[in-house]
Amino acid sequence: MIPPKFSIIGFTTTVMLAAAAAAAVLQERGARCNPDQVILGGKFVHQDAPVKLFQNEALLKHNELRAKHGSPPLHWNSTLEAFASARDQTCVFEHTPPPRTYGENIAWGYSSKDGAVQGWYDEVANYDYNNPVFGYNTGHFTQVVWKASTELGCGGVQCPPYGLMITCEYYPPGNVEGQFADNVLRPA
């Protein structure tokens, strides 16, 4: 039997259910297995591990892309994650209305946070470093690499029929008028 706590967001659900099913089979065969553990890569790990992998996917991709622009690495913030996750539960594809405390990127239709982050970053092709201002076709990219942002939290939830909705929140927020030249640097 699969414990209810194995019902997790997004694409990790499949991983969790498969791992939980494997753990249940082992338990039936007499293996000692804590129901709060799952099997990943042949090892027992805590049941929250796939969620941590989901978080790390977004954080690592952000930091990989930020490094190209000389921006320091972001750090995971559970408050931002909770805000993003609660916001995603609405399955409404629009930004949080002002006033906002956090910077925000949202995406729909990607199969992973990694893919969404890359999609936001790909707006770099439209950014004019000689005219460093906000643009509706570059605002996701500029938030991803915004040098002054130091913290990140992301959420994700399946929103039928559109698929995975992903939101990332940033603190301090980016895309501040008059600060683009100092915060959106050319790739090294």
Side-chain angles (χ1 to χ4, degrees):
M1 179 167 154
I2 299 171
K5 67 172 75 176
F6 281 79
S7 178
I8 304 295
I9 60 172
F11 73 94
T12 58
T13 302
T14 303
V15 172
M16 295 294 290
L17 292 176
V25 168
L26 285 175
Q27 283 179 325
E28 287 174 11
R29 293 182 181 172
R32 291 189 307 166
C33 175
N34 182 329
D36 287 344
Q37 294 177 326
V38 295
I39 302 166
L40 290 175
K43 298 180 180 179
F44 286 103
V45 295
H46 191 270
Q47 64 99 10
D48 287 338
V51 174
K52 299 296 182 207
L53 293 173
F54 198 50
Q55 294 168 353
N56 287 339
E57 176 186 11
L59 184 61
L60 290 172
K61 189 63 173 179
H62 271 88
N63 288 338
E64 169 195 327
L65 298 171
R66 289 170 62 82
K68 293 180 179 186
H69 296 267
S71 296
L74 296 169
H75 301 282
W76 194 261
N77 180 307
S78 58
T79 300
L80 295 177
E81 175 190 12
F83 185 87
S85 295
R87 186 243 171 282
D88 282 345
Q89 295 300 318
T90 66
C91 286
V92 174
F93 192 71
E94 59 186 38
H95 285 284
T96 303
R100 284 185 268 184
T101 305
Y102 313 127
E104 183 174 82
N105 279 341
I106 57 175
W108 231 341
Y110 291 92
S111 61
S112 67
K113 287 182 183 173
D114 184 270
V117 176
Q118 185 65 53
W120 296 327
Y121 179 83
D122 288 347
E123 292 178 357
V124 64
N126 302 318
Y127 191 72
D128 182 358
Y129 293 95
N130 296 317
N131 185 25
V133 296
F134 177 80
Y136 287 102
N137 63 343
T138 60
H140 298 104
F141 154 70
T142 53
Q143 177 59 82
V144 167
V145 301
W146 195 264
K147 188 175 181 179
S149 292
T150 58
E151 298 178 49
L152 173 72
C154 301
V157 66
Q158 288 292 338
C159 294
Y162 305 106
L164 184 62
M165 181 172 178
I166 297 168
T167 300
C168 288
E169 303 290 338
Y170 306 81
Y171 187 81
N175 292 337
V176 179
E177 189 175 338
Q179 298 181 16
F180 282 82
D182 293 333
N183 285 284
V184 183
L185 309 177
R186 293 178 188 271

